[in-house]
Structure formats: structure tokens, C-alpha cells
Amino acid sequence: MHDFLRALPKVELHLHIEGSLEPELMFVLAQRNGIELPYATVQEAKDAYHFSDLKGFLNLYFQGMNVLRHEEDFYDLAMDYFKRARGEGVVHIDMHFDPQAHLQRGVPLEVVMTGLLKAKQEAEDTLDLSIGMIMAFLRDRPAEEALHVLEQAAPYWKLLDAVGLDSAEQNNPPAKFVDVFQRAKQLGLVRVAHAGEEGPADYIKEALDLLGVQRIDHGVRCLENAEVVERLRSEQIVLTVCPLSNVSLKVVEELRDHPLPKLLEKGLKVTISSDDPAYFGGGMLTNHTACAEAFGWDEAVFRQITRNAIDEAFITETRRGELLNRLAAL
Ligand code: ADE
Ligand code: ZN
């Protein structure tokens, strides 16, 4: 099974590039930029990665990305992950990034975009890896700020595949961002949002109705509302489920308790992603292997999940056909 999962042309629809920052690279960048870290060693950083909820994680996530200052830091961050993912058999990544988290620290949008776009170009030219770009808004910040960032991103609108919504979910409902997402729609941008990770199933409905999202990131709490489940099923809305993330952030106690098998049973369009692989114990291959062990899934289940992700990925139809062929040939 492990060989099959490695060879499977995996497509990751939900990845925060800042959450792929491994402690090893964090130390390199800290030294390069003359920044003092709150950890003495790589091991000390890894030992600190125990979370009781999403907010606890986000504190360390925002602290970790403080080493990202220059264009080449963003390039190194992304290339480091792209190479690692490709080594695990990943063929496409839709990458979230958080401009506000960098703007707040005085890092201009141009620095972030130039570094990330350079890495995307290089991955597509040399690694046989396609990359989608999702500019995410921090839902615990004011909506006006998000709107301002969206306008500021005018030079990059054509290069974005979608806008997203992430960060602390509870008490930050999708409704807060209606104007921002309306503007994104007007600009012809696809919309996605985190919903039903720590927040209630109602937030999933809100994201669909008020923000017009095309996919739901996480969405695991949909099971608390039969109407929402039926909506997701009948419209075949993709859920980007992140199993090891949900265990790390205590959305579920352990992987065996995870609702993934139930979501599949209900006929939902499930996919698997790593979310923040540097913080949650591993990337795409580890997430797939862990699911195989916890749920006893056979190859057919993983083929279906991969087909779902290929269907939904932000890629050209030529690339989509290519990836479907590759899956069929496995
Ligand atoms: N930002 C990075 N990872 C996240 C997650 N799992 N949920 C919400 N916001 C995030
Ligand atoms: Zn996420």
C-alpha cells in the first residue's frame, strides 16, 4: 500500500505555504536575516509544536513566519516545500498564502508575490509540478483591511486562481466578508473558504450562500447538520479535508475517530490535504499512509479521492487530462 500511495499522483488543494516552513529552514532564514528565535535548537522548536486548539497553533504559525523578510525567503520557503512534496509523489498544489500576516510586519505584497511566483514558475518548468495561487484573508482581522489588500493586489489579480478565508474561525463568520467576496466575484476570481473546522456547520452554509465559494476548506463539522450534508452532496462541493491537522488541533481526539469515512459514506466529494505540514506531523504521503492505517481503505478509495482533487484543482484542462491519464495508468 505504501508504494501505491507514493506512486499515486497526489493533488493537494489545501496547503498554507507559510505552514510548510520546517524548523530547519526557519533557523537558516533567522540567521540569514539576523533574527533571534524563541527556540535554541530545531528540536526545541519541534517540541513546542503541541497544540490544544486552532488559536494555539496560529500563535506559533504567525511567530514562525517572522523569519520571512525578503523575496528570496519566500522563494526558498516555497521551493523547499515543492521539492519535498514532489518527492512524495505530489503533482499539483493549490497554495494558500496570507498577505496580511506579512504586511503587518512591514513586508510589502510585492516581496511576497515576487518570491512565491518565482518558485511557482520554477516548479512548473523543472519539477513537473503545477501550482495554484490562493490569496487568503485573515478572518480575525477587519473586513476593511481584507478589502484594501484585495485592491492592493491589482497587479496580481490575473495571476491568482482564487481568494480564500482562513485564521481563527470561531466568532468570525463568513458573513463578515460579504463585501470582500462580492468584490472578488466582480473581479472574476474564484472563491474558497475555511468553514466547519472549529466553527459550526452553519458557517459552511453561510460560506456557500453569502460568499459564493466553490469549495469548502475542512468542512468536517458539516455532519452536525443533515441539511448542510445534503447540500454538499447534491451540489458535489469539494471538501479539502486535512486529517492530521484535525488531530493536531484537537478537532478529533485521534485519527480513528475522524469523520472521513462517514463523509465518504454520505457521498461527499472528499479530498485529502496536509494544511500546515511542518506543524502537523507530515505532508501528503504521511496523511495518506495514516488514513490507510486508521481506516483500512483500499486502493479504490484513494483513487476516488485523487480523482476528486484532480477534478477540482486550479489547472488547465490539458493538465487535468494529463493527470487523469496518469491516475488511470497506475
Ligand atoms: N491558517 C493556517 N492553517 C490554518 C487552519 N488549519 N485553519 C485556519 N487558518 C489557518
Ligand atoms: Zn487551512
Side-chain angles (χ1 to χ4, degrees):
M1 184 49 100
H2 192 266
D3 289 347
F4 168 79
L5 292 177
R6 178 176 286 280
L8 190 68
K10 293 173 287 300
V11 165
E12 180 162 45
L13 301 181
H14 182 168
L15 176 275
H16 302 265
I17 197 66
E18 296 93 341
S20 76
L21 176 61
E22 292 290 343
E24 286 81 0
L25 182 60
M26 192 192 295
F27 272 81
V28 170
L29 298 184
Q31 178 148 45
R32 190 157 91 189
N33 293 330
I35 294 163
E36 203 167 323
L37 290 175
Y39 317 108
T41 61
V42 163
Q43 192 54 48
E44 205 175 302
K46 288 183 180 173
D47 290 344
Y49 294 173
H50 294 286
F51 314 109
S52 49
D53 56 15
L54 176 57
K55 276 209 176 122
F57 154 69
L58 288 168
N59 289 339
L60 288 200
Y61 167 80
F62 290 122
Q63 183 184 83
M65 68 176 81
N66 184 38
V67 298
L68 303 168
R69 300 287 170 95
H70 309 290
E71 187 184 309
E72 63 175 336
D73 303 337
F74 288 91
Y75 167 82
D76 287 344
L77 166 75
M79 278 315 287
D80 190 57
Y81 182 65
F82 294 165
K83 286 179 182 162
R84 202 160 46 248
R86 191 67 197 89
E88 296 179 4
V90 174
V91 291
H92 176 83
I93 302 166
D94 282 338
M95 151 175 91
H96 275 73
F97 59 99
D98 285 332
Q100 285 157 285
H102 310 302
L103 287 165
Q104 273 172 44
R105 303 182 290 110
V107 178
L109 184 62
E110 192 191 349
V111 166
V112 179
M113 294 305 297
T114 311
L116 294 181
L117 287 167
K118 190 170 159 219
K120 167 184 156 87
Q121 186 71 48
E122 192 168 321
E124 292 179 338
D125 289 347
T126 66
L127 293 179
D128 178 28
L129 179 66
S130 42
I131 306 293
M133 303 279 290
I134 304 175
M135 188 173 84
F137 303 114
L138 302 180
R139 68 200 306 156
D140 47 352
R141 306 277 308 168
E144 296 71 30
E145 187 181 291
L147 198 51
H148 179 67
V149 172
L150 180 56
E151 297 302 337
Q152 214 183 323
Y156 307 105
W157 286 339
K158 282 198 168 58
L159 301 170
L160 296 177
D161 292 282
V163 295
L165 188 62
D166 61 9
S167 201
E169 186 180 7
Q170 278 173 345
N171 302 313
N172 291 300
K176 183 175 159 186
F177 293 90
V178 167
D179 291 348
V180 183
F181 277 61
Q182 184 59 41
R183 175 68 177 138
K185 181 181 180 183
Q186 194 182 58
L187 294 171
L189 289 166
V190 170
R191 287 135 287 146
V192 304
H194 285 51
E197 177 188 19
E198 276 197 349
D202 274 0
Y203 283 14
I204 298 173
K205 190 168 176 305
E206 257 188 39
L208 293 169
D209 289 339
L210 303 183
L211 305 186
V213 298
Q214 173 172 316
R215 49 172 102 139
I216 295 286
D217 293 313
H218 295 290
V220 289
R221 287 191 58 190
C222 69
L223 291 170
E224 293 166 25
N225 184 326
E227 224 175 278
V228 172
V229 171
E230 180 46 27
R231 170 91 180 272
L232 294 171
R233 191 201 60 76
S234 62
E235 293 179 24
Q236 286 295 286
I237 308 277
V238 158
L239 300 183
T240 65
V241 180
C242 306
L244 292 180
S245 161
N246 294 154
V247 175
S248 286
L249 301 186
K250 308 278 194 290
V251 172
V252 294
E253 279 273 317
E254 50 180 324
L255 195 53
R256 261 175 302 173
D257 305 328
H258 198 283
L260 258 169
K262 191 88 185 254
L263 297 170
L264 282 172
E265 210 178 281
K266 298 271 183 196
L268 303 190
K269 198 162 182 181
V270 166
T271 63
I272 289 180
S273 295
S274 74
D275 208 5
D276 300 281
Y279 292 90
F280 301 149
M284 282 292 272
L285 185 55
T286 313
N287 270 275
H288 280 68
T289 308
C291 286
E293 279 170 15
F295 311 129
W297 287 345
D298 60 13
E299 292 185 5
V301 177
F302 288 105
R303 283 180 189 276
Q304 184 57 53
I305 283 173
T306 303
R307 206 172 299 121
N308 292 346
I310 296 174
D311 255 7
E312 173 71 14
F314 297 137
I315 39 180
T316 62
E317 292 313 310
T318 311
R319 175 79 174 159
R320 201 181 318 280
E322 210 176 282
L323 297 184
L324 286 170
N325 286 340
R326 238 188 259 189
L327 178 61
L330 181 69

